[in-house]
Amino acid sequence: GTVAHFTAALEFRPDVDFIIDIGGQDIKCFKIKNKAIDNIMLNEACSSGCGSFIQTFANALGYSVADFARLGLYAKHPVELGSRCTVFMNSAVKQAQKDGASVEDISAGISSSVVKNAIYKVIRAKSPEELGKNVVVQGGTFLNDAVLRAFEKELGLNVTRPAISGLMGAYGAALYAMKK
């Protein structure tokens, strides 16, 4: 799987130095050096910061994930939710609602929290610059424009998001098989 994701990312960004894949249940990150995988970071223990995390809040507020994500793009004042566990996030979201935060602001806040969780808890980066300049994002969660935007804002970069973001493993496996 790792080789497949790397192979696919190289197709889109030959100079890639960091790959982050946020799926429904896990986060996989690969640091690339000299066109080879230098380091792998995984988060499989905790769903906070994954796609299912966003889905939980979207459904709780009565939205589909797609609609909830779209609303996040129109946030005026994204809620600062931190990057905590789902349980704590629930109370933070309820408090934000009591304080009059819009669904847009909550959605943007959740996207931002997913991104911060990935960068500072999973990757354990001290600063966004540690990821490098040429970042490829993949996994179904990055098809969510609000998550993509939050990630780019946090990094201060434009990143590469392939249109087949959620299928990069399959695409990489096919490319690898063709070369063999």
Side-chain angles (χ1 to χ4, degrees):
T2 304
V3 173
H5 284 281
F6 178 44
T7 304
L10 280 175
E11 262 316 283
F12 288 92
R13 191 82 200 239
D15 59 352
V16 64
D17 37 45
F18 200 87
I19 302 164
I20 176 168
D21 183 304
I22 302 185
Q25 305 295 335
D26 63 359
I27 298 176
K28 294 185 272 303
C29 306
F30 313 111
K31 186 89 181 116
I32 311 301
K33 245 197 199 119
N34 306 322
K35 295 232 185 272
I37 296 171
D38 185 52
N39 191 3
I40 299 177
M41 290 144 277
L42 296 171
N43 163 27
E44 295 166 316
C46 158
S47 73
S48 94
C50 301
S52 58
F53 180 74
I54 299 173
Q55 189 164 9
T56 301
F57 288 103
N59 296 347
L61 294 166
Y63 292 89
S64 72
V65 176
D67 289 342
F68 186 64
R70 206 168 300 115
L71 286 170
L73 294 170
Y74 302 101
K76 300 269 184 288
H77 309 286
V79 179
E80 187 50 65
L81 295 164
S83 56
R84 296 178 298 235
C85 258
T86 314
V87 184
F88 296 116
M89 205 60 89
N90 271 327
S91 57
V93 168
K94 288 201 174 84
Q95 189 54 52
Q97 284 177 301
K98 281 189 193 126
D99 297 342
S102 67
V103 175
E104 287 83 353
D105 291 340
I106 290 170
S107 171
I110 287 170
S111 289
S112 171
S113 121
V114 163
V115 161
K116 286 177 176 157
N117 179 65
I119 297 171
Y120 303 112
K121 296 238 168 78
V122 179
I123 300 165
R124 295 200 175 92
K126 304 273 175 288
S127 74
E129 290 78 45
E130 281 181 35
L131 276 64
K133 289 264 170 279
N134 306 310
V135 178
V136 174
V137 300
Q138 49 192 43
T141 302
F142 274 113
L143 291 172
N144 175 331
D145 288 335
V147 171
L148 179 72
R149 183 154 164 246
F151 189 69
E152 290 187 326
K153 274 175 78 175
E154 191 65 29
L155 259 55
L157 292 174
N158 289 324
V159 301
T160 302
R161 175 188 63 182
I164 57 163
S165 173
L167 303 169
M168 291 288 275
Y171 180 62
L175 287 172
Y176 187 74
M178 280 167 58
K179 285 187 184 121
K180 294 287 172 220

